Amino acid sequence: MFTITVKRESILELMNFLYRENDLAFTFLTDLTGVHFPHPNDELGVVYHLHNLPSNFRLRIKTFFPKSDPQINSLTSLFASANFMERETYDFFGIIFLGHPNLKRILNVDDLGYFPMRKEYALEDPTRTDKDDTMFGRG
Amino acid sequence: MVNTAEAPAGVEGPGFFATSLDKVVGLARKHSIWPLPFATSCCGIEFMATMASTYDMARFGAERPSFSPRQADLLMVMGTIAKKMGPVLRQVYEQMAEPRWVIAVGACASSGGIFDTYSVLQGIDKIIPVDVYVPGCPPRPEQILDGLMRIQDLVENEPTRRRDSPEYKALLASYGIQ
């Protein structure tokens, strides 16, 4: 699959172009997800999968930005299906989608307080209080 | 085939039989438990086998699985309870009338099981009091029936005033219920 990596500032313009241009017509957003690479630069990313339905051609677009500034333009103005996928990506990675009409948690409990799919947590969290080790013979 | 329940211990004579109210009430309750199945995953499938003809949970007087918490006596929690499901489970428990019992069927309901993760409740006893735990992943219908029989033992021997006791109130208070 063709994959291109772009700057986040151009994502909305690029998506509009791919959507509107008659020869391209990537009118279907198959998937949208987040990714976290803690090394070397501690970057978050968003990966978009586009589909041209008439020619069955797929395109993957990646964009990366620092974790300290996790913001990117929302695609909800272009794809209605981006609404829930961006909420999910926010829920798990804490990426803020600017211009999203209802950016709140979708799968996790509202008061979770952190973004669980980020690769920044110890494998076994010693501060956890909800795990009863006596049940597992390791208490 | 009809099985007659054994009479409780008491004083017997010509034309009379005397025993304590606790024992009579316990005997009646023991053989008329209405369970509320709260099934979320594979343990629920095992429960369906437990309920069906081969294992026939109705033999123990649990003839009517109640799908309304208002009329249920026994909450049977079978399966993984996600943290997001926790408040729902708790509300179901709160809607049940006293006396009520809870059985946690399977590793997930008892302790979170293999789901040692941020989104899963690590045992339903974090949010509601549990009377009997059934181990297994998932437990066989025989084990679920054994759990039900342990509940019957508790029901039979429970003093009628237990639910008014300060210990019981303190237990509920420790869960923040009522």
Side-chain angles (χ1 to χ4, degrees), chain A:
Chain A
M1 200 196 304
F2 276 102
T3 304
I4 51 176
T5 303
V6 300
K7 286 184 184 164
R8 66 170 153 178
E9 288 76 18
S10 54
I11 193 73
L12 200 51
E13 197 184 345
L14 174 74
M15 289 291 184
N16 262 303
F17 176 73
L18 291 171
Y19 187 102
R20 311 261 178 225
E21 190 76 10
N22 283 334
D23 296 342
L24 300 170
F26 285 98
T27 55
F28 191 80
L29 180 67
T30 309
D31 197 14
L32 178 170
T33 186
V35 62
H36 180 203
F37 290 121
H39 301 293
N41 299 321
D42 205 11
E43 280 183 325
L44 287 171
V46 181
V47 183
Y48 303 89
H49 290 228
L50 293 177
H51 194 178
N52 177 316
L53 295 168
S55 60
N56 193 26
F57 188 83
R58 293 172 190 274
L59 182 64
R60 182 162 50 204
I61 294 164
K62 294 183 177 181
T63 177
F64 295 97
F65 38 86
K67 196 183 78 180
S68 52
D69 178 27
Q71 296 192 342
I72 191 165
N73 280 318
S74 168
L75 292 189
T76 44
S77 57
L78 197 57
F79 299 104
S81 63
N83 188 314
F84 277 19
M85 293 195 275
E86 286 180 353
R87 274 179 69 185
E88 186 192 20
T89 308
Y90 163 73
D91 192 356
F92 284 100
F93 291 93
I95 295 166
I96 312 286
F97 290 89
L98 301 167
H100 190 285
N102 185 29
L103 195 65
K104 59 179 189 183
R105 288 188 185 271
I106 185 168
L107 293 174
N108 286 301
V109 285
D110 289 330
D111 58 352
L112 188 66
Y114 58 100
F115 303 110
M117 293 294 275
R118 284 187 179 180
K119 292 182 175 63
E120 60 187 22
Y121 310 110
L123 271 180
E124 193 100 15
D125 182 358
T127 61
R128 254 174 82 174
T129 55
D130 62 344
K131 196 72 203 174
D132 188 355
D133 278 346
T134 54
M135 290 274 193
F136 297 86
R138 57 183 185 188

Side-chain angles (χ1 to χ4, degrees), chain B residues 32-39 47 51 57 61-78 92-93 95-97 101 148:
Chain B
S32 59
I33 295 172
W34 283 8
L36 166 59
F38 194 97
F47 172 75
M51 218 170 54
M57 199 173 69
E63 184 69 82
R64 177 189 177 276
S66 171
F67 291 97
S68 157
R70 311 271 183 202
Q71 285 89 37
D73 307 301
L74 170 64
L75 178 60
M76 302 183 78
V77 183
M78 297 162 284
V92 167
Y93 178 78
Q95 284 176 347
M96 291 170 70
W101 291 270
L148 183 71

Side-chain angles (χ1 to χ4, degrees), chain B residues 11-54:
Chain B
V11 184
E12 207 169 349
F16 80 93
F17 175 75
T19 185
S20 68
L21 185 62
D22 276 11
K23 284 177 183 157
V24 179
V25 170
L27 183 75
R29 280 180 178 168
K30 175 188 173 184
H31 295 288
S32 59
I33 295 172
W34 283 8
L36 166 59
F38 194 97
T40 53
S41 47
C42 43
C43 290
I45 305 292
E46 294 297 312
F47 172 75
M48 291 169 209
T50 313
M51 218 170 54
S53 48
T54 304

Side-chain angles (χ1 to χ4, degrees), chain B residues 155-176:
Chain B
V155 173
E156 185 181 20
N157 296 314
E158 178 170 308
T160 45
R161 287 193 191 136
R162 177 184 168 231
R163 307 276 161 172
D164 299 318
S165 67
E167 290 83 1
Y168 184 71
K169 283 182 176 152
L171 174 73
L172 286 189
S174 72
Y175 283 94

